[in-house]
């Protein structure tokens, strides 16, 4: 953290704290759902990007003041999610061995660490971003797209849920609104900033919608299949 970097306004700080609350809840729900379904709950590439950003924001470029514990708390939770990915992941990729999966996971994580660090340096130099906002939203944008892709590939909500998706949306909304309306001192605003926030929130909202509609479809299917059984039972009576 460069000398002289200060906390943002009270409104900005509140937005970031609310983001921390919603994303912490999302991670806890991901862990619970993954354990219940026996499948990892976060796309592997997104997980590696998350771990990289959180590690850098915890130990190399931490946010100022009382915001500092937020990325570290996320890092701890993401390590649990990473353990679940290593435990359940090989079963999701039957074409490769467990050793190959672990190797690819390690290589992806190393690449994500190197790329995230370099991107953060670019954002610091060009946008004076010592809060990790540009890098954090870049990771959030990638995650939003990859969660949609995971849902499509699985063709189910295994390891996923509407509450998780809503917490992700609300967390990104709080951070994005705080960043756009009450930017911290010194950071350079840009069209890129606005695009990161807008596209991330649009994909988050789409993810909430498809999960909700999928849940409704499952409910209608269960009702339709149970009705003939009820009718058959009444005939026998």
């Amino acid at each position: 953290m460069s000398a002289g970097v200060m906390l943002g306004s009270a409104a900005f700080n509140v937005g970031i704290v609310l983001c921390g609350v919603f994303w912490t809840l999302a991670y806890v729900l991901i862990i619970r759902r993954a354990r219940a379904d026996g499948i990892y709950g976060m796309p592997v590439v997104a997980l590696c990007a998350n771990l990289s950003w959180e590690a850098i924001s915890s130990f190399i470029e931490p946010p100022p003041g009382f915001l500092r514990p937020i990325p570290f708390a996320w890092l701890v939770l993401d390590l649990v999610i990473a353990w679940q990915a290593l435990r359940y992941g090989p079963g999701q990729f039957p074409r490769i061995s467990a050793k190959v999966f672990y190797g690819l996971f390690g290589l992806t994580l190393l690449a994500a660490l190197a790329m995230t660090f370099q991107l953060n340096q670019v954002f610091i130099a060009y946008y004076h971003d010592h809060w990790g906002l540009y890098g954090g939203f870049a990771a959030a944008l990638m995650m939003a797209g990859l969660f949609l892709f995971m849902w499509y590939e699985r063709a189910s909500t295994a390891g996923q849920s509407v509450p998780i998706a809503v917490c992700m949306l609300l967390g990104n909304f709080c951070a994005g609104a705080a960043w756009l309306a009450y930017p911290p001192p010194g950071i350079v605003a840009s069209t890129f900033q606005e695009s990161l926030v807008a596209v991330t929130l649009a994909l988050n909202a789409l993810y909430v919608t498809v999960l909700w509609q999928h849940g409704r479809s499952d409910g209608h299917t269960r009702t339709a299949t149970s009705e003939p059984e009820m009718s058959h039972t009444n005939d026998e009576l």
Side-chain angles (χ1 to χ4, degrees), residues 81-171:
I81 295 173
W83 176 81
Q84 291 179 325
L86 293 173
R87 179 182 180 186
Y88 301 128
Q92 303 300 307
F93 299 92
R95 293 186 179 183
I96 61 176
S97 67
K99 289 183 178 180
V100 171
F101 175 83
Y102 298 145
L104 290 174
F105 184 94
L107 288 174
T108 303
L109 181 57
L110 288 174
L113 278 167
M115 294 176 65
T116 301
F117 179 77
Q118 292 298 324
L119 278 175
N120 272 11
Q121 298 308 303
V122 171
F123 293 144
I124 290 170
Y126 194 79
Y127 295 110
H128 301 164
D129 178 17
H130 294 276
W131 293 264
L133 292 169
Y134 278 96
F137 258 96
L141 173 59
M142 179 177 65
M143 188 187 310
L146 289 174
F147 265 96
L148 280 166
F149 183 75
M150 183 173 72
W151 168 80
Y152 177 79
E153 283 293 300
R154 290 179 178 176
S156 75
T157 57
Q160 307 160 84
S161 71
V162 172
I164 292 171
V166 169
C167 286
M168 291 166 53
L169 171 61
L170 291 176

Side-chain angles (χ1 to χ4, degrees), residues 52-95:
S52 301
W53 183 87
E54 289 156 0
I56 291 169
S57 296
S58 295
F59 303 111
I60 300 176
E61 278 288 333
F66 65 90
L67 301 177
R68 185 167 298 187
I70 293 176
F72 183 77
W74 291 345
L75 177 62
V76 172
L77 291 171
D78 261 337
L79 287 173
V80 178
I81 295 173
W83 176 81
Q84 291 179 325
L86 293 173
R87 179 182 180 186
Y88 301 128
Q92 303 300 307
F93 299 92
R95 293 186 179 183

